[in-house]
Every structure is written in structure tokens, then in C-alpha cells.
Amino acid sequence: MPTPEMSLTLTPEHIMIRDAARDFAQNEIAPKAAHFDETGEFPSETIKKMGAQGYMGLEIPEEYGGAGLDTLAYVLALEEISKADAAHGTIMSVNNSLFCHAIYKWGTEAQKQKFLKPVASGQKIGAYSLTEPMSGSDAGNMKSRAVREGAGYVIDGRKSWVTSAPVADFVMLFTMTAPEKKHKGISAFLIETTQPGFSRGKKEPKLGIRASATSEIVFEGYQCPAENRLGEEGEGFKIAMGVLDAGRIGIASQALGIAEAAYDASLEYAKQREAFGQKIGEFQGIQWKIADMKTRIEASRLLIYDAALAKMASKHTGERYTLKASMAKLFASETAMFCAHQAVQIHGGMGYSKELPVERYFRDAKITEIYEGTSEIQRMVIARQELGLR
Ligand code: CAA
């Protein structure tokens, strides 16, 4: 049984999974990343291929359409996919660690058959919807409502910043069933986007991860059968938060992939580019940047693998891995931003040009400090855990 104390050395199987993901990402995704960034097109074809390879439901057992691997395999694969293109990383992360993970953990057998199987196998796409126009970090303070009527619920309201919403077949929705109970009045529902009463708002024009489609979603009298409620009434906030613990390990892995891509490009450039009669890598100013980037990348990797092992152990112990997930997400996302910033600086004018992917890494890195809990929220979660406040 894996425990958090287990060695962080990768097994030959994990190395094989990482190398296969690297080959796939570099051959199938990297050559198209600039095109998808430029056009903002959703990369349907490569996502389908990822589904066929098992990347859209990596930790889900094969009987429910997944690849049946573990969390360490998931973070290794996600790191490689994100190194090629962070937008593909976002789509993969939300599908795996938010949508599939939640249904596998809290879903009924019928929900697993109907919603998990097609999403884990990559035939359909799943989204996760918590945020509203007036509640982001303060996630429990939502205005949308699900009112019990007969054999189901009628849902009304508006949700925002929903990753994959423009293309999603299903959405995991968190909404209020008992507003007077505050966060204890939130419930989770599995939404079918083909049903009347559901519509999508305009696609968000984003700074980075532009190929990952994001939009508002709107509910107007959407009728949701009671069997599509995930968990019990009032359990929604705990599900949302528990799932975000897993999601944050995913975003940390995405951030690590971006940081590594920025670092690799910088290392190559420092070895080739000359100024004042020598390679720029021979200047101490560049060496210090290289040293800081490398050290932060390796520290992020250890935090992420450690959080992944804690999540694997929690399957057996039931213990939360909130602290480790938040520390990995905080450190890796700030490392991605740091490395992308240094990479642009090392490349000088070329770092600012769209001729190289470095400026894309810089734009893509920023979101990792914002979504699935800002750096400020991660610090709050970490400090509360340490102080025993929650
Ligand atoms: N696991 C299980 N339960 C948890 C939990 C966790 N990780 N965190 C909190 N809870 C429980 C608490 O134990 C508490 O339970 P009781 O009521 O039984 O005591 C309950 O939830 C309320 O907890 P708090 O009092 O700590 O709640 P809070 O209102 O102070 O908020 C917060 C806590 C950490 C700030 C939380 O609101 C939060 O994480 N906010 C950020 C939201 C976020 O990350 N949004 C991202 C949107 S999703 C996204 O970006 C996806 C995408 O598309 C890419």
C-alpha cells in the first residue's frame, strides 16, 4: 500500500508511462500548440486521440472506461502533456481530477455508467462548475438555485469561468438547494448539456491557455431528475472542496510542465546565444537564473509527487491530503510564473516574439496562480491546516 513516506524514486512502470506521454505530447501536440494558441480553436482531434490513449480518465478503473493507473502516473502524464501545451493540460486536468474523480468517488453505479464511462474513455467531455459572477474565492456564497419539484429539481442561475463549457457534454454543477444553510445547503448535480433550460454564454477571450474553451453557463428552468444529484442534499460543498484537492495536484503538474518547457528553452538558448564574445550562459547573471529555475522546478516536482502519494494513500486511509495538494499547487504555480518570466528575460527580444513559444509559456503560466484556488487561497488553506483552524 503506498504511503506518503514511500520513496519518491519512480518505478520502471512509471518511467515507461512518463516516456510514452512525452512521446505522444511531443509528436501529436507540440507541433500544433502555436496554431491552437493563435486561433483559440478547441483541439477536438488531439483530445480524441488523448481519449483513445487513456489520458482522459487515467485513474479510473477500466470497467468504467479509464486506464486504471494511479495518481503518480496521472501527474507524470499531465506534466508531459502540459509541457507540450498547457491548454491540453487544462482540458485533461478538469476531465480527470474534477469530473471523473468526483463521480468515481461519490457517484451511484447508474451515474458511473451514464456519466463516468463515456467521459473517462474520452468519448465525451466533462466540466466542473462552482464559480459564479459574484463568487469566486468565496465559493460557498452562490446565488444559483435548485428547487425540489416532484421527482426532481428545477435549476436557475448563472455560473462563470467554466473550463470546457463550450464543448462539454456533461457538467458537474454545484448550486444551492437550501440557501439558509449557507455552504451546508449546497448540492451537486450532473447536468446534461443537451437538455432544455441549459445554455452557454459567450466564450471568454483569455490571455493564455487559449485552446481550452471557457464560458459562462446559464440555467433557466432546467429540470434535473433526482437520480442525477451527486451525493446527498447539502453535501455539495464538501464534494466541491474534496475534488479541488485532487484538482490542485493536477494544476500543480500542469504548472510544472510549463516551468520545464520554459527552462528547457532557456537552457538551450543560454548555450547558443552569444553576447560580448561569449555564450550568454557564461555570464553569472544568466547562471543564477538557470540555478534558481532548476532548483524551484525540482522542489515543485517533489511536492507534487509527495501530494500524489498522499492522494493514493488516502484511498485506503480516508485521510484528507488538502495540505499537500495546496502546497504543491502554490509552489508549482509560482515556479511556473517565475520560470516563464526568467525565460522571457533570458531570451530578450526573442522571448517577446511569437516566433518562439516562450511568450506563450509566460501567458499560460499566469492562470495556474488563479484557477482552482488563487495563491492567496492556497496560503489561507495551508495556514488554516497548520494552525488547526479548520
Ligand atoms: N475537503 C473536504 N471538506 C472540506 C475541505 C476539503 N478540502 N475544505 C473545506 N471543507 C469543509 C470544511 O471542513 C467545512 O465543513 P463543516 O461545515 O462540516 O465544518 C466546510 O467545508 C466549510 O469549510 P470552510 O469553513 O473552510 O469554508 P470557507 O467558506 O471558509 O471556504 C475556502 C474555504 C478554502 C476559501 C474555499 O471556499 C475555497 O477553496 N475557495 C476557492 C474556490 C476555488 O478554488 N475555486 C476554483 C473554481 S474551480 C476551477 O477553477 C475549475 C476550472 O474550471 C479549472
Side-chain angles (χ1 to χ4, degrees), residues 48 51-52 56-57 60 62-66 95 99-100 103 110-126 169-170:
K48 278 261 170 296
M56 298 307 275
I60 301 300
E62 289 175 26
E63 59 178 308
Y64 295 121
N95 211 73
F99 190 88
C100 290
I103 301 180
Q111 288 170 345
K112 286 177 187 161
Q113 292 299 335
K114 181 168 178 182
F115 297 101
L116 177 59
K117 228 172 169 176
V119 174
S121 59
Q123 285 151 22
K124 302 225 181 257
I125 292 194
D169 299 283
F170 306 125

Side-chain angles (χ1 to χ4, degrees), residues 3-180:
T3 70
E5 288 75 35
M6 194 174 140
S7 160
L8 290 168
T9 313
L10 298 180
T11 61
E13 288 78 21
H14 283 113
I15 291 172
M16 213 171 72
I17 291 163
R18 184 199 60 197
D19 292 351
R22 183 176 296 166
D23 284 349
F24 175 84
Q26 291 305 320
N27 292 330
E28 299 285 344
I29 300 176
K32 298 174 188 154
H35 166 80
F36 286 123
D37 173 58
E38 184 68 27
T39 59
E41 261 170 50
F42 186 81
S44 307
E45 221 175 277
T46 40
I47 293 296
K48 278 261 170 296
K49 284 188 186 168
M50 281 170 64
Q53 302 273 332
Y55 292 120
M56 298 307 275
L58 251 156
E59 290 180 79
I60 301 300
E62 289 175 26
E63 59 178 308
Y64 295 121
L69 300 175
D70 62 17
T71 312
L72 198 50
Y74 169 60
V75 299
L76 290 166
L78 183 49
E79 178 188 329
E80 292 301 331
I81 299 287
S82 304
K83 198 167 164 184
D85 180 35
H88 282 74
T90 303
I91 301 161
M92 175 177 165
S93 180
V94 169
N95 211 73
N96 276 270
S97 36
L98 297 184
F99 190 88
C100 290
H101 170 65
I103 301 180
Y104 183 58
K105 189 156 179 201
W106 281 281
T108 62
E109 184 55 33
Q111 288 170 345
K112 286 177 187 161
Q113 292 299 335
K114 181 168 178 182
F115 297 101
L116 177 59
K117 228 172 169 176
V119 174
S121 59
Q123 285 151 22
K124 302 225 181 257
I125 292 194
Y128 169 101
S129 175
L130 178 68
T131 303
E132 296 194 353
M134 294 311 289
S135 66
S137 291
D138 186 6
N141 182 28
M142 49 183 70
K143 300 271 177 292
S144 64
R145 300 285 183 259
V147 176
R148 184 88 205 203
E149 262 183 36
Y153 296 82
V154 177
I155 303 178
D156 286 284
R158 183 175 285 269
K159 308 291 281 188
S160 48
W161 288 106
V162 185
T163 297
S164 297
V167 293
D169 299 283
F170 306 125
V171 177
M172 181 173 303
L173 171 75
F174 298 92
T175 186
M176 280 286 183
T177 41
E180 70 289 355

